[in-house]
Amino acid sequence: MRHTGMDTDVVIAGAGPTGLMLACELRLAGVEVMVVERLGERTGESRAGGMHSRTLEVLDQRGVLDRFLALGKPERVGHFSGLYLEFDESESRHPFPLTILQPVVERLLEEWAAELGLRVRRSSEVIGVHQDETGVTVELGTPRAAPATVRARYLVGCDGGRSTVRKLSDIDFPGTPATMTSLIGDVELPDLPEDYVWGRRGEGGHYSAIAFEPGWHRVITSEYDHITDHDEPATFEQLRESLIRLIGTDYGMRCPRWVSRFNDTARQAAQYRKGRVLLAGDAAHIHFPAGGQGLNMGVQDAVNLGWKLGSVIRGEAPERLLDSYHTERHPVAEGVLRNTRAQAALSRPDAQTEALREVFASLIVFDDVNRYLRDMLTALGIRYPADGDHPLTGRRVPNADLKTPNGTTRVYELLHAARPVLLDLRGSAAVAATAEGWGDRVDLVEARSEDNHWTVPAVGEIAAPAALLIRPDGHVAWATVRGTPDTTTLQTALTTWFGPRLGRGRRHPR
Ligand SMILES: Cc1cc2nc3c(=O)[nH]c(=O)nc-3n(C[C@H](O)[C@H](O)[C@H](O)COP(=O)(O)OP(=O)(O)OC[C@H]3O[C@@H](n4cnc5c(N)ncnc54)[C@H](O)[C@@H]3O)c2cc1C
């Protein structure tokens, strides 16, 4: 839905997992998108090794999960600071971390984006950002041509931890500096003992070697109070020396495919939105990659932002809806920064931390502690600030089995089109009458829940609601247990999230 004088509705800087997911969400929302990527081709850097339950669920909500499951490997356990956590009791249809390397995730997202009509504009680097009241002018540098400008209504910086968009927009990035250095490499380890499991703690830090693919291990060494220049390229020799310093052997390490360096610097953008510029993914938050949460959080930022931006661009919701992106997602990253700082601290190689770790290890085996940490790492426990006292409001909707006049279905199948759904489970005339006012934007679905009770992470078992309003990102905007509900609160929720009801004879463009 392009406006006069605009080249596109939204420019997305960066074709990492966050930018690609956002591009797909915006295409589903019917708006025009241009994704610009500095690199000429995708790197082979393996980086993120997997995805957690909530990310698998959001892919399920869009009907593309099977592609990821086909190329990944479900794991039964995860960890908090290297201490095992059980995942298989989680209240999700996908109760496992899925091992799948980041380049595979990016390839699958880019293929989906192409199906939605989008091609990434590669070798295009954002080098200038100028916003005014009506739009953003984005200056693009290319290797062999003069800089070009593109005009869009919004710019979203998904350009990683060193985000140019964030810097050019003068958005503060406060946080805490590194206390350690980690080296990472995908290598062959011919001398690794056959009974080797996970990793070990040494005097100056710790290391792990995880079998990612047949014949290949991901080796990570972490040395505390040993800070190196993060801009200096990491080398295979440094990785080998670090492992020898920690445990006295390199296990015959050879054939490096990729070597890199990271640390526990933890920073977060002070504002996720500054006028027409927004930030998502690593551009908005960086932290120690313990527990594998970064890629997940970026994908979920994108799913929170996409439908809101789409709705504002289509002229349905007022621009202030975009502020809820910061209100909802900033605290989520704050929590992840907190838990990754805790994980880094719990790994320090001194006697006091070792004692603390032993206490923690004896607590983590309790079901409640395991569940608490699991809901945190998987992001299943998130509740966005919400009006209404029903326990589902603000939380992600469970993927319950439903019976409809046309057969059986699941709640997430109703979300494939990324449109809001008003799910009426008791056939209320009042709900149907209210839905008419938003009939162009909100899909009314009448069904019956197969189960009388739904299980909700961090809450437990609740009675299946009588009706609920589900946002396109799968979070519940309104819910009731009453078969004849008070529709005033429903109307307020519809207006808050999807804009004012249609006037007589007026239809919003789609
Ligand atoms: C060792 C390691 C292990 C990790 N393990 C996990 C894990 O198991 N699970 C997990 O969830 N996360 C993990 N992470 C974190 C994860 O890799 C990141 O959180 C994720 O890559 C963030 O995605 P993104 O799209 O926000 O940013 P990025 O992946 O950094 O993508 C940003 C893109 O923007 C491009 N770009 C940069 N500047 C510009 C510009 N000016 N103009 C245009 N394009 C630009 C870049 O080339 C890049 O393609 C790990 C990270 C590391 C380092």
Side-chain angles (χ1 to χ4, degrees):
M1 128 152 336
R2 194 181 304 163
H3 285 242
T4 326
M6 298 288 164
D7 297 302
T8 186
D9 290 321
V10 182
V11 169
I12 296 175
T18 308
L20 291 168
M21 186 73 197
L22 180 62
C24 294
E25 291 291 292
L26 288 171
R27 288 302 300 145
L28 288 171
V31 303
E32 289 197 16
V33 194
M34 182 188 292
V35 181
V36 297
E37 166 58 53
R38 182 180 56 188
L39 300 176
E41 55 188 41
R42 201 175 303 116
T43 72
E45 296 184 359
S46 61
R47 299 222 272 165
M51 298 197 292
H52 283 299
S53 298
R54 184 58 193 144
T55 308
L56 301 178
E57 287 189 349
V58 301
L59 296 168
D60 197 5
Q61 287 173 189
R62 297 295 178 258
V64 295
L65 176 63
D66 286 350
R67 310 170 183 200
F68 295 82
L69 293 181
L71 297 181
K73 178 170 158 273
E75 307 289 347
R76 294 200 74 74
V77 293
H79 72 94
F80 186 87
S81 194
L83 301 167
Y84 283 112
L85 282 177
E86 302 286 338
F87 276 65
D88 50 3
E89 295 289 310
S90 105
E91 297 89 351
S92 168
R93 283 187 194 245
H94 315 294
F96 45 80
L98 185 77
T99 293
I100 181 166
L101 294 180
Q102 185 162 335
V104 181
V105 172
E106 290 177 7
R107 176 168 63 77
L108 292 174
L109 288 175
E110 196 167 342
E111 283 169 11
W112 180 30
E115 289 163 26
L116 295 169
L118 192 130
R119 268 198 32 244
V120 174
R121 184 163 156 173
R122 292 194 173 273
S123 303
S124 283
E125 177 176 7
V126 173
I127 54 172
V129 174
H130 310 278
Q131 64 164 307
D132 53 48
E133 273 184 12
T134 57
V136 191
T137 302
V138 183
E139 203 177 338
L140 298 175
T142 47
R144 275 174 290 278
T149 56
V150 172
R151 179 99 177 134
R153 296 189 65 197
Y154 292 92
L155 166 67
V156 188
C158 301
D159 49 344
R162 295 167 186 232
S163 171
T164 304
V165 172
R166 187 186 67 228
K167 289 173 193 158
L168 291 175
S169 305
D170 281 330
I171 297 177
D172 285 347
F173 201 44
T176 47
T179 67
M180 42 93 81
T181 296
S182 291
L183 285 159
I184 179 168
D186 292 343
V187 295
E188 288 181 5
L189 288 180
D191 303 341
L192 195 67
E194 284 207 357
D195 58 353
Y196 171 85
V197 186
W198 167 259
R200 266 173 44 197
R201 293 165 57 70
E203 263 185 23
H206 51 90
Y207 85 98
S208 62
I210 308 160
F212 261 132
E213 287 173 27
W216 287 91
H217 277 83
R218 165 173 287 191
V219 174
I220 301 178
T221 65
S222 298
E223 293 186 79
Y224 282 74
D225 304 321
H226 172 86
I227 318 297
T228 51
D229 178 3
H230 194 61
D231 289 330
E232 182 199 321
T235 66
F236 173 66
E237 203 44 43
Q238 287 168 346
L239 177 67
R240 221 176 61 76
E241 285 167 4
S242 174
L243 192 56
I244 292 171
R245 265 198 306 278
L246 284 171
I247 52 159
T249 173
D250 67 357
Y251 292 131
M253 184 190 289
R254 64 185 186 202
C255 301
R257 266 206 309 216
W258 172 61
V259 180
S260 187
R261 176 186 285 116
F262 61 91
N263 60 40
D264 63 337
T265 303
R267 298 190 176 278
Q268 190 178 13
Q271 296 164 265
Y272 280 20
R273 173 183 178 211
K274 189 167 180 183
R276 294 181 171 275
V277 176
L278 297 116
L279 299 175
D282 277 18
H285 36 71
I286 54 164
H287 54 83
F288 191 50
Q293 300 166 84
L295 178 150
N296 293 269
M297 204 168 24
V299 168
Q300 289 164 43
D301 284 349
V303 174
N304 184 287
L305 177 60
W307 68 272
K308 294 175 181 173
L309 204 45
S311 176
V312 169
I313 288 170
R314 291 195 309 266
E316 293 168 2
E319 208 165 338
R320 65 172 179 276
L321 178 66
L322 297 178
D323 292 330
S324 71
Y325 168 61
H326 175 100
T327 312
E328 295 185 339
R329 294 303 296 171
H330 191 274
V332 170
E334 246 175 332
V336 171
L337 262 61
R338 201 164 37 240
N339 87 50
T340 51
R341 282 188 185 114
Q343 294 191 67
L346 204 52
S347 294
R348 289 191 73 83
D350 55 59
Q352 286 77 9
T353 311
E354 200 56 57
L356 180 64
R357 203 174 163 81
E358 275 175 33
V359 173
F360 207 88
S362 60
L363 291 175
I364 212 167
V365 295
F366 288 103
D367 283 349
D368 283 351
V369 179
N370 188 95
R371 186 177 309 116
Y372 173 79
L373 294 172
R374 186 190 66 210
D375 288 350
M376 193 164 78
L377 295 183
T378 56
L380 288 172
I382 288 174
R383 182 179 201 185
Y384 294 145
D387 292 333
D389 49 13
H390 191 281
L392 275 179
T393 46
R395 296 187 184 280
R396 100 337 164 197
V397 65
N399 190 9
D401 286 315
L402 302 174
K403 248 191 272 178
T404 73
N406 304 324
T408 56
T409 186
R410 296 177 295 120
V411 173
Y412 289 5
E413 284 185 36
L414 305 177
L415 295 170
H416 285 186
R419 280 168 61 83
V421 172
L422 180 54
L423 181 55
D424 184 358
L425 299 171
R426 300 264 184 85
S428 157
V431 167
T434 308
E436 277 178 22
W438 285 264
D440 61 328
R441 278 159 281 166
V442 178
D443 295 335
L444 173 68
V445 177
E446 291 190 7
R448 294 281 175 273
S449 175
E450 293 269 15
D451 297 307
N452 292 331
H453 292 93
W454 290 5
T455 314
V456 182
V459 174
E461 206 169 78
I462 60 164
L468 63 164
L469 177 62
I470 310 167
R471 310 186 326 186
D473 60 0
H475 280 256
V476 176
W478 171 90
T480 183
V481 288
R482 293 162 55 178
T484 313
D486 168 11
T487 52
T488 324
T489 54
L490 173 57
Q491 286 178 35
T492 305
L494 284 161
T495 308
T496 303
W497 296 108
F498 311 118
R501 65 179 296 146
L502 280 173
R504 206 176 281 278
R506 200 176 121 237
R507 290 193 74 79
H508 283 296
R510 265 295 290 172

